[in-house]
Amino acid sequence: MSGTTTAAALRRRAAGAGANRWVVLVVLCASLLLVAVDATVLHVAVPAVTEDLRPGGMELLWIVDAYPLVCASLLILFGTLGDRVGRRRVLLLGYALFGVASGTAALADSAQVLIAARALLGVGGAMIMPATLSILRQVFPDRRERALAIGIWSAVAAVGAAVGPLLGGFLLEHFWWGSVFLVNIPLMLVSLPVGWLLLPESKGEGDGPWDVVGALMAAAGLFAVVLGVKRLGGGDSVGSPWTVVPLLGGAALLALFVRRQRRRTHPLVDLRMFARPAFSTSVVCIVLAMLALVGLELIAAQYLQLVLGLSPLETGLRLLPLTVAAMAAGLAGARMLRRFGPRRMVGAGFCLTAAAVVSLTAMGGHDNFPLLLTGFVLLGFGLETTLFGAYESMLSEAPQDQAGGAAAIGETSYQLGAGIGIALLGSVMNAAYAPGLDGVPGVPARASAAAGHSLGEAYEVAERLGGPAGEALRHAARHAFVHGLHVTLLVSAGLLLLGAAMALRLPRAMQCETPAVEVPAPREAARRRGSELKV
């Protein structure tokens, strides 16, 4: 047997997993699927929740935002905690919390209870997400196999995001709104014992005490920043206290956190990772990719429903090719990464996505199915190619004992990019849309101002006005929205090309050095070679 094969076998044995690593991957993907589904499944249930619990406007906002807000703010805390106390331990605790929170949410009889349950779901999600990636880093020490595993992992994440609204719609047609949460419980009841039996335990070096104060500073700072970004994306002005105070306070806390980590002998997060071009560039690429993706998906959904008049189910089906293409890119990602290397793969993904975005500027007021299908397929494939290459490079560049912290940084950049994308592209959309409703014949100035808030509100104002004025406002709003969509697409294409330029800092080739292994004594080496040949 060759020395390379023997070394690979020794590395897999040293990974510490008693179970087959591919079985471990299945368990990790199952838990990831639940978290990804839960992030989107509530969207279609909001009308039913509103009718049953009668939440106020602020309560409804927190019902929707509590989960992603809490999850994003606690990723670094639980990612680094897993490096210290054990990643499997944190993951299994996340399973338990997720199951308890799902049952509480399903049976909630008030908006306050549902908000608390959604926040607890966010805690569980923050435990699960970085743990899955860091355990994956542990059980796949060979970079070629790890690339394939990350591809499957990312494809499952894409499936979960798409399945959420479809599963929610199916459950709402047959059961009450709580069923969208209740479905998690049997899956968690299976995941807990299976995870306990099959998942390997792993930790970092754990030198020095865990920085509790630093972890809380990071959590509070991220919570405030994400809250400010979400308020900005929700329509609050830049000068609003609800936007300015969280953003400034969160930025100050994060700056103090960075300063504290640089001064500590045993930091919570080793900031020297950011000095590595591959790591820091990968993080920036993840943010830029999410900037483009989330804002475009939101605006595309509005275009399909409000301009083309498709139902929510038809809209989900139209967006499905984007998810299928993303799945294909994830499954093919390992082979592309080996052949083209991180630099060309991520850069080409950005360029392909930018080309897809520019092609979608041909969308108008009428349905063009071939154009939308082609554009969404290219968009999904290009963005997933970019995210796969960036995630794989970031995780491979991080030291193994910092895998939890690195995974948490990647997931945090993902969440921040998504939030900033909604705020940024939403602001660009509104700035391009609102002027198109000024001076519509027969429409009062106050009605035009109200219609300038969104296309949905413009339709409501047009219906109240009725007659020729209402029809003129409706036509002008549709035209203004399409114009705003074109401007937003061009801005998004610019961000994607910026990402392609950033990708030039990534390594040209996928480096797969063989880790150093202990050289056994001659007699021991002969015994091992014999056992390998028997296998």
Side-chain angles (χ1 to χ4, degrees):
M1 177 171 286
S2 69
T4 302
T5 306
T6 304
L10 291 175
R11 289 200 305 275
R12 288 196 291 269
R13 189 178 302 160
N20 184 285
R21 59 197 181 282
W22 299 106
V23 177
V24 171
L25 177 63
V26 171
V27 177
L28 296 178
C29 286
S31 59
L32 173 67
L33 182 64
L34 282 177
V35 176
V37 167
D38 213 75
T40 57
V41 71
L42 184 65
H43 294 172
V44 295
V46 167
V49 171
T50 303
E51 183 179 354
D52 187 21
L53 301 183
R54 302 291 180 184
M58 186 59 67
E59 289 176 330
L60 183 60
L61 183 66
W62 278 103
I63 287 173
V64 175
D65 287 343
Y67 174 82
L69 187 60
V70 172
C71 184
S73 62
L74 296 179
L75 285 167
I76 289 179
L77 189 154
F78 287 120
T80 56
L81 181 63
D83 288 338
R84 291 304 180 100
V85 304
R87 293 149 188 160
R88 185 188 70 161
R89 186 174 299 172
V90 171
L91 178 64
L92 294 178
L93 181 57
Y95 285 166
L97 282 179
F98 212 83
V100 171
S102 297
T104 305
L107 303 176
D109 57 357
S110 68
Q112 293 80 9
V113 173
L114 184 55
I115 291 170
R118 289 278 291 168
L120 189 60
L121 279 169
V123 176
M127 291 179 170
I128 294 171
M129 290 294 286
T132 57
L133 265 180
S134 54
I135 292 175
L136 187 150
R137 172 75 168 82
Q138 172 73 17
V139 299
F140 287 94
D142 182 84
R143 187 171 181 180
R144 295 180 182 87
E145 288 189 344
R146 185 167 65 245
L148 177 58
I150 292 176
I152 297 172
W153 182 89
S154 61
V156 169
V159 171
V163 165
L166 296 176
L167 177 63
F170 173 80
L171 291 173
L172 286 173
E173 286 186 2
H174 298 85
F175 307 100
W176 91 112
W177 61 265
S179 61
V180 302
F181 300 108
L182 209 58
V183 70
N184 294 334
I185 295 178
L187 296 174
M188 284 302 171
L189 289 175
V190 173
S191 297
L192 265 172
V194 171
W196 178 266
L197 292 172
L198 297 182
L199 294 179
E201 185 59 281
S202 63
K203 300 180 183 179
E205 294 179 359
D207 295 334
W210 186 56
D211 185 9
V212 179
V213 175
L216 294 177
M217 288 174 64
L222 286 170
F223 184 91
V225 168
V226 175
L227 176 61
V229 168
K230 283 187 171 293
R231 299 289 302 185
L232 192 62
D236 285 6
S237 65
V238 179
S240 169
W242 292 102
T243 300
V244 173
V245 173
L247 286 176
L248 293 180
L253 281 172
L254 291 177
L256 291 174
F257 168 75
V258 170
R259 183 181 179 186
R260 179 182 177 86
Q261 298 308 298
R262 285 178 173 172
R263 293 183 173 184
R264 289 184 64 85
T265 305
H266 303 289
L268 186 71
V269 176
D270 187 359
L271 298 177
R272 290 176 298 180
M273 289 190 293
F274 285 94
R276 304 180 180 187
F279 186 89
S280 57
T281 301
S282 297
V283 170
V284 174
C285 287
I286 292 171
V287 172
L288 287 173
M290 292 310 298
L291 274 174
L293 174 63
V294 175
L296 286 180
E297 280 191 336
L298 181 64
I299 295 169
Q302 293 178 0
Y303 169 79
L304 293 172
Q305 291 185 63
L306 298 178
V307 176
L308 301 186
L310 302 181
S311 69
L313 180 59
E314 291 172 331
T315 299
L317 292 174
R318 283 294 185 94
L319 292 172
L320 199 57
L322 188 151
T323 304
V324 173
M327 290 170 52
L331 296 175
R335 179 173 296 180
M336 290 191 295
L337 189 63
R338 289 196 301 269
R339 181 171 182 178
F340 301 112
R343 182 186 300 178
R344 283 187 289 178
M345 181 176 177
V346 175
F350 271 123
C351 291
L352 179 62
T353 309
V357 166
V358 171
S359 72
L360 289 174
T361 57
M363 292 188 299
H366 301 285
D367 193 2
N368 188 338
F369 179 76
L371 172 68
L372 293 176
L373 177 62
T374 304
F376 287 159
V377 167
L378 295 178
L379 187 65
F381 193 90
L383 272 173
E384 182 61 26
T385 298
T386 298
L387 287 171
F388 171 88
Y391 262 110
E392 199 283 335
S393 297
M394 180 202 69
L395 199 61
S396 296
E397 190 70 16
Q400 185 165 314
D401 64 309
Q402 288 276 327
I409 290 171
E411 291 299 320
T412 302
S413 62
Y414 184 99
Q415 297 287 346
L416 283 176
I420 295 171
I422 293 175
L424 176 62
L425 296 186
S427 299
V428 171
M429 179 71 192
N430 290 336
Y433 162 75
L437 300 180
D438 293 337
V440 179
V443 178
R446 180 177 296 180
S448 294
H453 295 157
S454 68
L455 182 57
E457 194 163 346
Y459 284 173
E460 293 178 2
V461 173
E463 187 175 354
R464 289 198 300 268
L465 287 175
E471 186 60 32
L473 178 61
R474 188 179 184 88
H475 177 76
R478 283 164 54 90
H479 180 77
F481 185 89
V482 172
H483 169 71
L485 176 61
H486 292 166
V487 173
T488 305
L489 289 170
L490 292 176
V491 171
S492 179
L495 292 172
L496 292 166
L497 292 176
L498 176 62
M502 287 294 302
L504 295 176
R505 299 181 70 238
L506 291 172
R508 183 183 297 274
M510 179 182 177
Q511 299 174 356
C512 301
E513 294 98 347
T514 301
V517 294
E518 183 179 353
V519 179
R523 191 172 295 177
E524 176 68 9
R527 186 186 65 80
R528 286 187 180 178
R529 280 196 298 271
S531 63
E532 291 291 339
L533 288 171
K534 289 179 182 178
V535 173

